[in-house]
Amino acid sequence: MKDFKSISASLPKAGTGYVVGTVGKDDTKLAVVKTNNGGRTWSKQLDLSAEDSPLSAFQIQFTSENTGWLLTNEKGMLSGDVYRTVDGGKHWTKMSTQRTGRPYVNGIQLIDGNTGVISLHPGAGPIEGGIWLTKDGGRSFTSVSKAVAVNQVQMVSAKAIWAAIDGMNGSDFLIHSTDGGISWQESYPLSEPYGRPTEDMAFIDRQLGFGIGTQLDSGKVLKTIDGGASWKIIASLDSYIRLEKISFVSEKEGFMMAFRDKDPQHVLLKTQDGGLTWHEVSSESLNKLGISDVSAFRFFDTNHGVLFATGEGKAIYRTSDGGKTWGKTLVSKENSEMQVSLTSYSSGWLLKQTDTKGSLELVRFGADHSAQTVLTLDKDWYPDAVYFSDETHGYMLFEDFEAKDGVITRLLTTNDGGRTWTDHPFPADAEMVDVRSIGFSDPQHGWIQFLQGTAVTADGGLSWSVQQ
């Protein structure tokens, strides 16, 4: 065949093989060819073309001589089609169209004519990848793994699935499922009952801290007694879609925001035994708040708690009875980017973008609804996080889009309540992507939590080390 460039091949038995490749010089046509005699002769089986976009394919795979799948890739549309044959390629049926870009498909793997998986990788992020599973021949796919970045997946049977996960910072690992993707375990390196929190962290002091979420499961609660060097999973709350924010007021007593797929979706949880067991706090007023996204959450004692959330605009919600009832203070009707640090029940700091480019404000707010602009920055920076450990020591994180050698992360610190700030830019190769939070247990000891892991400092933010 003229101008045929192979992309993927599958050889289900000796002498029999299938190859998918592009045809022609403009990359708008695909073809599948088959050999029955070890490659001496080939016959065309399938012709596909795209009018407006370059056409490619991810993979062709046969589980037997007769049953195979093909996943195409229309590059300009970030989508592809799943085709299936059950008669050795004589007839191909288009089963469905799937999104193939951001996250990016890097493989399709099947075990029979009905059951198979697609592995997904986010590329540069900060979106998540995962594993999609089909049980109906490719007509529909459902997500079966919360892993961030999947490099390769292998089905041994309809129940046994293995996957290689890119954990960033050299922490790659294998996971496997023995129940067809319902549950997953880390297999190498063997980490259970250990992990690293991915969603949120809260420290009681420089050694004792609690976290939520792991690479595999956002429903895990973790504990550290060595300042975050190691974490142990102490509870699994599998009835929730994810755990969102965590706050502890003592070694034993803590609060958590969780999200589930039934009303009320946002639920306040409380522990009184150091995170081992949790119970829901009944709250009629919390159910009626209309919260869609919680970005800051902190309890200061048994009764007084504050959360900052997006609903109809941005608002601060306060409780003085342990979460049973909540009051609302509207901060902004706009849903522009804002980060909040709650320093007391009545006061805190608000870092916000006043427009999409070139203007940032740090605002101090108090109990009497007062608001004072402490700092204005005319920079093309994105506000990642803000944290004040007390009234004088503060920290702000930004993504700097003005940097000459790519986007870098900048840390600004103050020790005089925000009057003066010191700039600590991180090196471009730090790869501190998708920062989730920053926090300090005292002015010297702090952490930054980001997609790939956790960075810690013992000198007030002058130097940082990424924990593996």
Side-chain angles (χ1 to χ4, degrees), residues 9 35 52 89 96 167 172 202 264 266 323 326 335 351 392 396 409 431:
T35 181
D52 305 317
S96 64
D172 300 355
H266 289 273
W326 295 79
N335 282 330
L351 178 62
T392 57
M396 297 188 295
T409 301
E431 295 184 351

Side-chain angles (χ1 to χ4, degrees), residues 1 12 23 47 53 68 81 84 138 145 180 189 197 212 237 250 296 325 331 343 345 347 390 431:
M1 191 184 308
V23 180
D47 262 324
S53 173
D81 296 326
R84 183 181 69 165
S145 172
I212 50 177
L237 281 68
S250 68
T325 60
V331 174
T343 49
Y345 177 68
S347 61
D390 52 39
E431 295 184 351

Side-chain angles (χ1 to χ4, degrees), residues 191-197 200-203 207-214 221-234 246 447 449 454 456 467-468:
S191 65
E192 291 283 5
Y194 303 98
R196 288 211 176 277
D200 196 22
M201 295 191 299
F203 276 82
Q207 298 295 333
L208 176 61
F210 297 87
I212 50 177
T214 67
V221 181
L222 304 94
K223 179 181 178 180
T224 181
I225 57 174
D226 55 15
S230 64
W231 295 84
K232 184 176 181 180
I233 296 169
I234 58 173
I246 191 168
W447 72 91
Q449 187 179 26
T454 306
V456 297
Q467 295 180 329
Q468 299 297 332

Side-chain angles (χ1 to χ4, degrees), residues 352-361 376-383 399 401-402:
K352 63 179 181 178
Q353 271 185 326
T354 54
D355 55 40
T356 55
K357 183 178 180 180
S359 188
L360 297 145
E361 285 185 358
T376 300
L377 290 170
D378 292 321
K379 300 286 188 181
D380 186 14
W381 293 357
Y382 179 86
E399 289 178 53
F401 296 105
E402 299 173 346

